[in-house]
Amino acid sequence: MDGRIDFDVVVVGGGIVGLASAYKIMLSHPDIRIGVLEKEGKLAAHQTGHNSGVIHSGLYYAPGSTKAQTCIQGRRELVAFAKKHRIPCEICGKIIVATRQNELANLERIHQNAVESNIEGVEEIGPDEIKEIEPFCQGIAGLRVSCAGIIDFTKVAEKLGDLVGKKGNGNQVLTSHQVIGFDKHDFYTRVVTNQGAFAAKYIINCAGLQCDRVARLDSVAPKMKIVPFRGDYYELTEKAKEKVKALIYPVPDPALPFLGIHFTRTIDGRVECGPNAVFSFKREGYGKTDFNWADTWDALSYPGLWRMFFKYWRYGLGEYARAFSRKLFLRQLQRLVPSLQDDDIKPCKTGVRAQALEASGRLIDDFRIERQRNSIHVLNAPSPAATASLAIGDRIKQIATEYFKLGE
Ligand SMILES: Cc1cc2nc3c(=O)[nH]c(=O)nc-3n(C[C@H](O)[C@H](O)[C@H](O)COP(=O)(O)OP(=O)(O)OC[C@H]3O[C@@H](n4cnc5c(N)ncnc54)[C@H](O)[C@@H]3O)c2cc1C
């Protein structure tokens, strides 16, 4: 290295959070050079390309939390971005449906969140209105959320990558570049990849399922570990897909960061059902029996994992059973759409969520972004981070502008 700086900012990770951050920094600081380094051969290869494709409204999250604020702001920006760049997106609305008396208090709590967070177009509905909106769905009470929608997040990520990479001022979006180390120097960091090294003034870690490991490469000892949760989806067959018009969700368990198995009409007209949430023995493993020694040892040697298992063993066993039993998965779906039969569903995709876990066994609920002297680490960006990505990008840009003195 000859003292030349390749990039002012290197973003590690070409998922939607890394790309949105690069995009927002580019808009505010058009003269600086940004490099996005993605280890896979394409962008959006992990969480961003394996999710439900739902534009969330923001009502699940505690009012005032980063999740709630960025989801609401990010949703509005995302819809405007999709419109501007002609990315197919539909605000089809969704319903959240209670099927049992003991879910009503949680349904009310979610409604209160919507009121306190000022989320537009949320109204209480009864069994008749549920049937009017979704004729095959059955429930005792619900919420209609008219600002929720659907989109293909891979297309959003690709467009963001395009805009950043084509800026023409030295920006580069490089796939097949895995970051394997950082050599720290006084005024720059040598970012070492499997295809050579780059000198960068600042680092932004948006590595999703690998973010804690990338943080450790930067000598940060994060007070959390990423635990991968696999989510399997089924899809309604051609004949059955008329049973779902848009989005049907159950009332989630407030103790867990997952929304429960739901029905999602996708932007290309299919209907997916899922995902469940089972601990995965491989961080980027999409098969039911995928296994990786390093990932498994890393997880099992962490006391937080055992504390979490102990806390949620009943829920975990149920999810495991559903992962391997089509019959149990179907039974869960039938709680919302009772007429569904075994030949109405077929297995479809799988996704793996990056969920940050504290050593105490607490699943970290809110987004977590930490700053070092010349680096920013996104250490928890689970759902709804795809919806919220442009707003998260804004926050990261603000932190970078303030602490890195970008543009000076
Ligand atoms: C099953 C599932 C359903 C979901 N549903 C929704 C939904 O409907 N709506 C919603 O808003 N959100 C949803 N989410 C959440 C959303 O998809 C994620 O929060 C979001 O995609 C996170 O984006 P990211 O960029 O942080 O992570 P990722 O998309 O995982 O990107 C991280 C990138 O970093 C790369 N990387 C890792 N290590 C390195 C390295 N050393 N060097 C270079 N690159 C590296 C990875 O290859 C990867 O491409 C869902 C998630 C899952 C898994």
Side-chain angles (χ1 to χ4, degrees):
M1 207 142 287
D2 50 9
R4 170 179 51 92
I5 296 293
D6 299 296
F7 299 114
D8 295 285
V9 174
V10 154
V11 175
V12 183
I16 201 163
V17 172
L19 291 162
S21 303
Y23 172 69
K24 286 296 180 125
I25 291 173
M26 177 189 86
L27 291 186
S28 288
H29 305 285
D31 296 329
I32 72 167
R33 281 163 304 162
I34 305 167
V36 178
L37 303 179
E38 165 54 49
K39 72 180 166 73
E40 305 294 350
K42 59 178 185 182
L43 300 177
H46 290 296
Q47 297 176 91
T48 302
H50 292 85
N51 62 28
S52 297
V54 173
I55 302 174
H56 286 295
S57 63
L59 53 45
Y60 293 115
Y61 320 112
S65 62
T66 312
K67 258 191 184 175
Q69 289 172 356
T70 53
C71 184
I72 296 164
Q73 183 202 330
R75 161 169 55 83
R76 293 174 185 149
E77 275 197 60
L78 178 68
V79 174
F81 181 88
K83 209 167 172 184
K84 179 170 175 194
H85 296 287
R86 298 207 172 94
I87 297 168
C89 152
E90 195 189 326
I91 301 305
C92 54
K94 84 172 182 185
I95 55 173
I96 302 172
V97 177
T99 54
R100 295 174 180 173
Q101 288 291 333
N102 63 5
E103 293 171 342
L104 294 179
N106 278 333
L107 189 70
E108 179 48 29
R109 182 187 54 83
I110 292 171
H111 188 209
Q112 273 313 311
N113 283 350
V115 173
E116 282 176 44
S117 294
N118 241 332
I119 296 171
E120 64 275 21
V122 179
E123 54 172 320
E124 290 179 306
I125 50 176
D128 294 342
E129 286 150 307
I130 292 173
K131 276 250 166 306
E132 253 168 53
I133 302 165
E134 290 283 356
F136 291 87
C137 178
Q138 202 168 292
I140 56 174
L143 290 177
R144 184 210 301 254
V145 187
S146 51
C147 60
I150 50 176
I151 196 163
D152 181 343
F153 285 115
T154 299
K155 291 212 163 72
V156 178
E158 286 168 350
K159 177 47 80 179
L160 289 166
D162 235 40
L163 294 169
V164 172
K166 288 194 177 143
K167 180 75 173 49
N169 62 331
N171 287 357
Q172 288 195 63
V173 177
L174 300 171
T175 52
S176 304
H177 279 70
Q178 177 169 7
V179 173
I180 52 176
F182 299 111
D183 289 341
K184 293 286 192 188
H185 297 263
D186 280 349
F187 299 106
Y188 73 95
T189 300
R190 195 167 155 267
V191 183
V192 185
T193 78
N194 58 337
Q195 296 204 53
F198 301 92
K201 289 187 192 158
Y202 307 106
I203 313 297
I204 301 178
N205 163 15
C206 301
L209 283 151
Q210 310 290 346
C211 66
D212 52 341
R213 291 174 175 165
V214 171
R216 278 198 294 276
L217 291 178
D218 190 33
S219 306
V220 174
K223 292 190 189 70
M224 44 63 77
K225 195 180 273 284
I226 287 296
V227 178
F229 283 95
R230 206 192 63 245
D232 309 309
Y233 290 83
Y234 281 79
E235 181 180 342
L236 296 191
T237 59
E238 204 48 40
K239 156 177 95 64
K241 83 183 187 189
E242 55 152 22
K243 294 188 177 177
V244 174
K245 289 193 180 316
L247 305 171
I248 309 176
Y249 276 66
V251 178
D253 179 342
L256 295 160
F258 310 119
L259 299 180
I261 291 174
H262 45 266
F263 293 87
T264 311
R265 185 165 285 274
T266 62
I267 201 75
D268 59 0
R270 295 172 303 105
V271 176
E272 292 178 348
C273 344
N276 53 359
V278 287
F279 170 72
S280 168
F281 292 93
K282 190 172 177 195
R283 288 202 184 190
E284 290 161 358
Y286 296 94
K288 280 191 179 148
T289 52
D290 276 7
F291 185 84
N292 174 288
W293 270 113
D295 287 350
T296 305
W297 174 250
D298 198 18
L300 295 183
S301 59
Y302 185 54
L305 188 81
W306 294 101
R307 291 183 181 122
M308 181 198 74
F309 280 160
F310 190 67
K311 228 171 174 170
Y312 299 112
W313 66 268
R314 197 186 296 272
Y315 173 82
L317 283 184
E319 289 294 281
Y320 254 104
R322 268 189 289 279
F324 287 96
S325 163
R326 177 186 173 112
K327 202 166 140 197
L328 292 177
F329 201 103
L330 177 66
R331 206 176 284 162
Q332 193 75 6
L333 297 175
Q334 286 168 331
R335 274 176 66 173
L336 291 166
V337 181
S339 64
L340 275 184
Q341 297 302 318
D342 184 67
D343 61 355
D344 287 336
I345 60 171
K346 54 182 183 183
C348 135
K349 67 183 188 194
T350 296
V352 183
R353 305 172 181 86
Q355 173 62 50
L357 177 69
E358 285 178 348
S360 65
R362 189 177 82 89
L363 294 161
I364 299 174
D365 189 44
D366 212 353
F367 297 150
R368 182 170 288 185
I369 303 170
E370 284 182 14
R371 184 184 59 82
Q372 282 269 90
R373 198 167 62 88
N374 62 353
S375 56
I376 294 170
H377 296 271
V378 178
L379 296 175
N380 197 40
S383 187
T387 303
S389 52
L390 288 164
I392 297 174
D394 251 343
R395 299 234 163 165
I396 290 172
K397 176 206 71 188
Q398 280 160 12
I399 300 171
T401 304
E402 185 177 350
Y403 292 101
F404 299 165
K405 310 265 180 267
L406 287 186
E408 285 183 10

